[in-house]
Amino acid sequence: MSLNRLSIDDVTDIIMTELRLPRRLVLELANIVHKKTSGHALFVVQLLNSLVRDSVLAYSPMKRRFDWDSAKVRSLKTADSVASLIVTNLNSLTPGELPSLRALSCFGIQVKLVVLALLKDACPFGGVEPYLKSLIEGGVVEMKDSLVVFTHDLIQQGVYNNIPTEERRRLHLHIGVCLGMK
């Protein structure tokens, strides 16, 4: 199975629906977003979320609608891939999600759910399971049968490589101790 890229009309429809604005108002933004993302669906969503998070795309009480500066959107530097954009957006994770995601990255690209369940009671961060839903919704990981899998190996590598060396050593030790107690 392969997924087709979104057309400019698809991107326009997404933006029209989410912002509740007519086509004529969103067409320029849709063209910019489509060009920056090459129509990759996940990349479109991630880029739009980052525009909102960074207040580049925001509600204007004066205009009583969402508004943006097209020149500012056009000039934004975007990541070369969906994976690097997602890794960049990890700064917006909650305090519980980031340590959980870091612990998850220590297992590599995938780990069995039963292994993660072993971390629940023994680890101070409360394990990974409480944060799985939001990580899945964020496009960082997905469930495949009884496995938790990073959606892209570059995401796992990016998360793992962004753990400071000393913290990474402590995390591996702590995971080993937690698993050894079971």
Side-chain angles (χ1 to χ4, degrees), residues 83-136:
S84 54
L85 180 64
I86 292 172
V87 170
T88 301
N89 288 340
L90 294 179
N91 295 331
S92 64
L93 292 176
T94 67
E97 290 171 335
L98 187 56
S100 297
L101 190 60
R102 286 178 168 177
L104 187 59
S105 75
C106 290
F107 290 97
I109 190 75
Q110 66 185 25
V111 62
K112 290 184 178 182
L113 197 53
V114 294
V115 173
L116 295 179
L118 296 174
L119 300 177
K120 183 179 179 183
D121 297 325
C123 293
F125 55 81
V128 176
E129 288 183 290
Y131 305 101
L132 274 180
K133 183 179 179 191
S134 60
L135 294 173
I136 290 169

Coordinates of all heavy atoms in Angstrom, one line a residue, residues 83-136:
A83 N 10.1 13.6 9.6 CA 10.7 13.2 10.9 C 11.5 14.3 11.6 O 11.3 14.5 12.8 CB 11.7 12.0 10.6
S84 N 12.2 15.1 10.8 CA 13.0 16.2 11.5 C 12.0 17.3 12.0 O 12.3 17.9 13.0 CB 14.0 16.8 10.5 OG 13.5 17.2 9.3
L85 N 10.9 17.5 11.3 CA 9.9 18.5 11.8 C 9.3 18.0 13.1 O 9.2 18.7 14.1 CB 8.8 18.7 10.8 CG 7.7 19.7 11.2 CD1 8.3 21.1 11.4 CD2 6.6 19.8 10.2
I86 N 9.0 16.7 13.2 CA 8.4 16.1 14.4 C 9.4 16.2 15.5 O 9.1 16.6 16.6 CB 7.9 14.7 14.2 CG1 6.7 14.7 13.2 CG2 7.6 14.0 15.5 CD1 6.3 13.3 12.8
V87 N 10.7 15.9 15.3 CA 11.7 16.0 16.3 C 11.8 17.5 16.8 O 11.9 17.7 18.0 CB 13.1 15.5 15.8 CG1 14.2 15.8 16.8 CG2 13.0 14.0 15.6
T88 N 11.8 18.4 15.9 CA 11.8 19.8 16.2 C 10.7 20.2 17.1 O 10.8 21.0 18.1 CB 11.8 20.7 15.0 OG1 12.9 20.4 14.1 CG2 11.9 22.2 15.3
N89 N 9.5 19.6 16.8 CA 8.3 19.9 17.6 C 8.2 19.2 19.0 O 7.3 19.5 19.8 CB 7.0 19.6 16.8 CG 6.8 20.5 15.7 OD1 7.3 21.6 15.6 ND2 6.0 20.1 14.7
L90 N 9.2 18.4 19.3 CA 9.2 17.7 20.6 C 9.4 18.7 21.8 O 9.0 18.3 22.9 CB 10.3 16.6 20.6 CG 10.2 15.5 19.6 CD1 11.3 14.5 19.8 CD2 8.8 14.8 19.9
N91 N 9.8 19.9 21.5 CA 9.9 20.8 22.6 C 8.6 21.2 23.2 O 8.5 21.7 24.3 CB 10.6 22.1 22.1 CG 12.0 21.9 21.6 OD1 12.7 21.0 22.2 ND2 12.5 22.7 20.7
S92 N 7.5 20.9 22.4 CA 6.2 21.3 22.9 C 5.5 20.1 23.7 O 4.4 20.2 24.1 CB 5.3 21.6 21.8 OG 5.1 20.5 20.9
L93 N 6.3 19.0 24.0 CA 5.7 17.9 24.8 C 5.6 18.3 26.2 O 6.3 19.2 26.7 CB 6.7 16.7 24.7 CG 6.8 16.0 23.3 CD1 7.8 14.9 23.4 CD2 5.4 15.5 22.8
T94 N 4.6 17.7 26.9 CA 4.4 17.9 28.3 C 5.6 17.3 29.1 O 6.3 16.5 28.6 CB 3.1 17.3 28.8 OG1 3.3 15.8 28.7 CG2 1.9 17.7 28.0
P95 N 5.8 17.8 30.4 CA 6.9 17.3 31.2 C 6.9 15.7 31.3 O 7.9 15.2 31.5 CB 6.7 18.0 32.5 CG 6.0 19.2 32.2 CD 5.1 18.9 31.0
G96 N 5.7 15.1 31.3 CA 5.7 13.6 31.4 C 6.0 12.9 30.1 O 6.5 11.8 30.1
E97 N 5.6 13.6 29.0 CA 5.7 12.9 27.7 C 7.2 12.8 27.3 O 7.6 11.8 26.8 CB 4.9 13.7 26.6 CG 3.4 13.6 26.8 CD 2.7 14.5 25.8 OE1 3.3 15.6 25.4 OE2 1.6 14.2 25.5
L98 N 8.0 13.8 27.5 CA 9.3 13.8 27.0 C 10.2 12.8 27.7 O 10.8 12.0 27.0 CB 10.0 15.2 27.2 CG 11.4 15.4 26.6 CD1 11.4 15.0 25.1 CD2 11.9 16.8 26.8
P99 N 10.2 12.6 29.0 CA 10.9 11.5 29.6 C 10.4 10.1 29.2 O 11.3 9.2 29.0 CB 10.7 11.7 31.2 CG 10.2 13.0 31.4 CD 9.6 13.5 30.1
S100 N 9.2 10.0 29.0 CA 8.6 8.7 28.5 C 9.1 8.4 27.1 O 9.5 7.3 26.8 CB 7.1 8.8 28.6 OG 6.6 8.9 29.9
L101 N 9.1 9.4 26.3 CA 9.5 9.3 24.9 C 11.0 8.9 24.9 O 11.5 8.1 24.1 CB 9.2 10.5 24.1 CG 9.4 10.4 22.6 CD1 8.6 9.3 22.0 CD2 9.2 11.7 21.9
R102 N 11.8 9.6 25.7 CA 13.2 9.3 25.8 C 13.5 7.9 26.2 O 14.3 7.2 25.7 CB 13.9 10.3 26.7 CG 14.1 11.7 26.1 CD 14.7 12.6 27.1 NE 15.1 13.9 26.4 CZ 15.6 14.9 27.0 NH1 15.8 14.9 28.3 NH2 15.9 16.0 26.3
A103 N 12.7 7.4 27.2 CA 12.8 6.0 27.7 C 12.5 5.1 26.6 O 13.2 4.1 26.3 CB 11.9 5.8 28.9
L104 N 11.4 5.4 25.9 CA 11.0 4.6 24.7 C 12.1 4.5 23.7 O 12.3 3.4 23.1 CB 9.7 5.2 24.1 CG 9.0 4.4 23.1 CD1 8.6 3.0 23.6 CD2 7.7 5.1 22.6
S105 N 12.8 5.6 23.4 CA 13.8 5.6 22.4 C 15.0 4.7 22.8 O 15.8 4.3 21.9 CB 14.3 7.0 22.1 OG 15.1 7.5 23.2
C106 N 15.2 4.5 24.0 CA 16.3 3.6 24.5 C 16.1 2.2 24.0 O 17.1 1.4 24.0 CB 16.4 3.7 26.0 SG 17.1 5.3 26.6
F107 N 14.9 1.8 23.7 CA 14.7 0.4 23.2 C 14.9 0.3 21.7 O 14.8 -0.8 21.2 CB 13.2 0.0 23.6 CG 13.0 -0.2 25.1 CD1 12.5 0.8 25.9 CD2 13.4 -1.4 25.7 CE1 12.3 0.6 27.2 CE2 13.2 -1.6 27.0 CZ 12.7 -0.6 27.8
G108 N 15.1 1.3 21.0 CA 15.3 1.3 19.6 C 14.0 1.7 18.9 O 13.2 2.4 19.4
I109 N 13.8 1.2 17.7 CA 12.7 1.6 16.8 C 11.3 1.0 17.3 O 10.3 1.6 17.1 CB 12.9 1.2 15.4 CG1 11.9 1.8 14.4 CG2 13.0 -0.3 15.2 CD1 12.1 3.3 14.2
Q110 N 11.4 -0.1 18.1 CA 10.1 -0.7 18.6 C 10.4 -1.4 19.9 O 11.5 -1.8 20.2 CB 9.5 -1.6 17.5 CG 10.3 -2.9 17.2 CD 9.8 -3.7 16.1 OE1 9.1 -3.2 15.3 NE2 10.1 -5.0 16.1
V111 N 9.3 -1.6 20.6 CA 9.4 -2.3 21.9 C 8.0 -2.9 22.2 O 7.0 -2.4 21.8 CB 9.8 -1.4 23.1 CG1 8.8 -0.3 23.3 CG2 10.1 -2.2 24.3
K112 N 8.0 -4.1 22.8 CA 6.7 -4.8 23.1 C 6.0 -4.0 24.3 O 6.7 -3.5 25.2 CB 6.9 -6.2 23.5 CG 7.3 -7.1 22.4 CD 7.5 -8.5 22.8 CE 7.8 -9.4 21.6 NZ 7.9 -10.8 22.0
L113 N 4.7 -3.9 24.2 CA 3.9 -3.2 25.2 C 4.1 -3.9 26.6 O 4.1 -3.1 27.6 CB 2.4 -3.2 24.7 CG 1.5 -2.2 25.4 CD1 2.0 -0.8 25.3 CD2 0.1 -2.3 24.8
V114 N 4.3 -5.2 26.6 CA 4.4 -5.9 27.9 C 5.7 -5.4 28.6 O 5.8 -5.4 29.8 CB 4.4 -7.4 27.8 CG1 3.0 -7.8 27.4 CG2 5.4 -7.9 26.8
V115 N 6.7 -5.1 27.8 CA 8.0 -4.6 28.4 C 7.8 -3.3 29.0 O 8.3 -3.0 30.1 CB 9.1 -4.6 27.3 CG1 10.4 -4.0 27.9 CG2 9.4 -6.0 26.8
L116 N 7.1 -2.4 28.3 CA 6.8 -1.1 28.8 C 6.0 -1.1 30.1 O 6.1 -0.3 31.0 CB 6.1 -0.2 27.7 CG 6.9 0.1 26.5 CD1 6.0 0.9 25.5 CD2 8.2 0.8 26.8
A117 N 5.1 -2.1 30.2 CA 4.2 -2.3 31.3 C 5.1 -2.6 32.6 O 4.7 -2.2 33.7 CB 3.2 -3.4 31.1
L118 N 6.2 -3.2 32.4 CA 7.1 -3.5 33.5 C 7.7 -2.3 34.1 O 8.1 -2.3 35.3 CB 8.2 -4.5 33.0 CG 7.8 -5.9 32.6 CD1 9.0 -6.6 32.0 CD2 7.1 -6.6 33.7
L119 N 7.8 -1.2 33.3 CA 8.4 0.0 33.8 C 7.4 0.8 34.7 O 7.8 1.8 35.4 CB 8.9 0.9 32.6 CG 9.9 0.3 31.7 CD1 10.2 1.2 30.6 CD2 11.2 0.0 32.5
K120 N 6.1 0.5 34.6 CA 5.1 1.3 35.2 C 5.3 1.6 36.7 O 5.4 2.8 37.1 CB 3.7 0.7 35.0 CG 2.6 1.5 35.5 CD 1.3 0.8 35.2 CE 0.1 1.6 35.8 NZ -1.1 0.9 35.6
D121 N 5.4 0.6 37.5 CA 5.5 0.8 38.9 C 6.9 1.1 39.5 O 7.0 1.8 40.4 CB 4.9 -0.4 39.7 CG 3.5 -0.7 39.3 OD1 2.7 0.3 39.2 OD2 3.1 -1.8 39.2
A122 N 7.8 0.6 38.8 CA 9.2 0.7 39.3 C 9.9 2.0 39.0 O 10.9 2.4 39.6 CB 10.0 -0.5 38.8
C123 N 9.5 2.7 37.9 CA 10.2 3.9 37.5 C 9.5 5.2 38.0 O 8.3 5.3 38.0 CB 10.2 3.9 36.0 SG 11.3 2.5 35.3
P124 N 10.4 6.1 38.3 CA 9.8 7.4 38.9 C 9.0 8.2 37.9 O 8.1 9.0 38.3 CB 11.1 8.2 39.3 CG 12.2 7.5 38.6 CD 11.8 6.1 38.3
F125 N 9.2 8.0 36.6 CA 8.5 8.8 35.6 C 7.1 8.2 35.3 O 6.4 8.7 34.5 CB 9.3 9.1 34.3 CG 9.8 7.8 33.7 CD1 9.0 7.1 32.9 CD2 11.1 7.4 33.9 CE1 9.5 5.9 32.3 CE2 11.6 6.3 33.3 CZ 10.8 5.5 32.4
G126 N 6.8 7.1 36.0 CA 5.5 6.5 35.9 C 5.3 5.6 34.6 O 4.2 5.2 34.3
G127 N 6.4 5.4 33.9 CA 6.3 4.5 32.7 C 5.8 5.3 31.5 O 5.6 6.5 31.6
V128 N 5.7 4.6 30.4 CA 5.4 5.2 29.1 C 3.9 5.1 28.8 O 3.4 6.0 28.2 CB 6.2 4.5 28.0 CG1 5.8 5.0 26.7 CG2 7.7 4.6 28.3
E129 N 3.3 4.1 29.3 CA 1.9 3.8 29.0 C 0.9 5.0 29.2 O 0.1 5.3 28.3 CB 1.3 2.6 29.7 CG 1.9 1.3 29.2 CD 1.3 0.1 29.9 OE1 1.7 -0.1 31.1 OE2 0.6 -0.6 29.2
P130 N 1.0 5.8 30.3 CA 0.1 6.9 30.4 C 0.2 8.0 29.3 O -0.8 8.7 29.1 CB 0.4 7.5 31.8 CG 1.2 6.5 32.5 CD 1.9 5.7 31.4
Y131 N 1.3 8.0 28.6 CA 1.5 9.0 27.6 C 1.4 8.5 26.2 O 1.6 9.3 25.2 CB 2.9 9.7 27.8 CG 3.0 10.2 29.2 CD1 3.8 9.5 30.2 CD2 2.4 11.4 29.6 CE1 3.9 9.9 31.5 CE2 2.5 11.8 30.9 CZ 3.3 11.1 31.8 OH 3.4 11.6 33.1
L132 N 1.1 7.2 26.0 CA 1.1 6.6 24.7 C 0.0 7.3 23.8 O 0.3 7.6 22.6 CB 0.8 5.1 24.7 CG 2.0 4.3 24.9 CD1 1.6 2.8 24.9 CD2 3.0 4.5 23.8
K133 N -1.2 7.5 24.3 CA -2.2 8.1 23.5 C -1.8 9.4 22.8 O -2.0 9.7 21.6 CB -3.5 8.3 24.3 CG -4.7 8.8 23.4 CD -5.9 8.9 24.3 CE -7.1 9.5 23.4 NZ -8.2 9.9 24.1
S134 N -1.3 10.3 23.6 CA -0.9 11.6 23.1 C 0.3 11.5 22.2 O 0.4 12.3 21.2 CB -0.6 12.6 24.2 OG 0.5 12.2 25.0
L135 N 1.2 10.6 22.4 CA 2.4 10.4 21.5 C 1.9 9.8 20.2 O 2.4 10.1 19.1 CB 3.4 9.5 22.1 CG 4.1 10.1 23.4 CD1 5.0 9.0 24.0 CD2 4.9 11.3 23.0
I136 N 0.9 8.9 20.2 CA 0.3 8.4 19.0 C -0.4 9.5 18.2 O -0.2 9.7 17.0 CB -0.7 7.2 19.3 CG1 0.1 6.0 19.8 CG2 -1.5 6.8 18.1 CD1 -0.7 4.9 20.4

